[in-house]
Amino acid sequence: IKEKIELHIITDKYFYKFLNKYGKVNTRQFLKALKIKTIFHEWSIENLQKVVLNSDLGVIPINNKDPMMVGKPENKLLLLWRMALPVLVSSTPAYQKVMIQANQDNFINKESEWLRLIEEFMSSNEKRKQTGISGYDFVQQNYSKKEFIKRWINVFSSLGYGI
């Protein structure tokens, strides 16, 4: 299955190694060092839509040894679920919490689990379909415009500004 995997990276042309300020790195050059077929797409909503529509599985690996990375919110996962893409994520607090809320356990605790779980998903169209639909349904129920407005009303109500 390794030979069939293509990694499509959607991100900025450059990133910084230190403090989002120092050690500028060309993303395309950096990706050439990976031992997997990798295709770089510069970040844009159009590229995201195009890549997701032609993808079987989303993968969000986070370096759990980097406190700045571990603290990232779940917005990337929710964005991919909004497009009904099944997603595997590193086991960060935010990703794990949302996965559990959505009754999914597609978070990876150990590096060695990535390949096993990717192979499991790639060998089952049905598993990918059900997982993508489950994520989509979760986002629609919990992160819709109606839910967003309801949460803001609750915030204002808790401050004594009843609506």
Side-chain angles (χ1 to χ4, degrees):
I1 236 168
K2 282 185 187 180
E3 300 79 34
K4 294 180 181 179
I5 296 174
E6 283 184 359
L7 186 61
H8 290 256
I9 305 288
I10 309 164
T11 193
D12 298 322
K13 282 183 181 181
Y14 302 96
F15 68 92
Y16 294 90
K17 286 184 178 183
F18 311 105
L19 304 171
N20 281 334
K21 199 174 185 178
Y22 304 104
K24 187 175 182 178
V25 177
N26 180 306
T27 304
R28 192 182 305 264
Q29 292 301 110
F30 176 81
L31 294 173
K32 285 182 181 180
L34 297 178
K35 296 177 182 176
I36 186 172
K37 183 175 181 183
T38 306
I39 300 162
F40 170 75
H41 305 270
E42 186 173 358
W43 166 252
S44 73
I45 195 69
E46 294 83 13
N47 282 344
L48 176 67
Q49 291 169 337
K50 185 176 16 169
V51 171
V52 167
L53 287 172
N54 291 298
S55 295
D56 294 310
L57 182 65
V59 177
I60 308 174
I62 299 291
N63 179 355
N64 283 325
K65 293 176 183 156
D66 183 340
M68 295 295 285
M69 298 298 286
V70 171
K72 286 186 167 228
E74 67 274 12
N75 58 333
K76 211 177 286 184
L77 170 61
L78 298 173
L79 179 64
L80 296 176
W81 274 352
R82 188 175 298 280
M83 294 186 276
L85 188 68
V87 184
L88 304 178
V89 297
S90 292
S91 185
T92 66
Y95 287 150
Q96 189 170 354
K97 177 182 148 217
V98 172
M99 280 275 178
I100 290 169
Q101 288 173 342
N103 295 317
Q104 293 192 24
D105 61 356
N106 302 317
F107 47 88
I108 284 80
N109 290 307
K110 292 186 254 172
E111 292 293 316
S112 60
E113 294 175 357
W114 280 106
L115 188 57
R116 180 193 59 77
L117 210 49
I118 289 170
E119 287 176 342
E120 185 179 311
F121 270 84
M122 295 312 296
S123 64
S124 173
N125 287 335
E126 190 58 30
K127 184 172 179 90
R128 289 193 311 273
K129 180 179 176 184
Q130 291 302 321
T131 303
I133 290 170
S134 168
Y136 175 82
D137 289 344
F138 176 80
V139 169
Q140 293 306 307
Q141 291 168 5
N142 296 281
Y143 293 88
S144 66
K145 185 176 182 179
K146 181 180 174 182
E147 282 299 313
F148 181 74
I149 290 169
K150 188 167 106 180
R151 289 178 189 173
W152 274 108
I153 289 171
N154 290 340
V155 167
F156 286 118
S157 294
S158 74
L159 297 171
Y161 296 99
I163 295 178

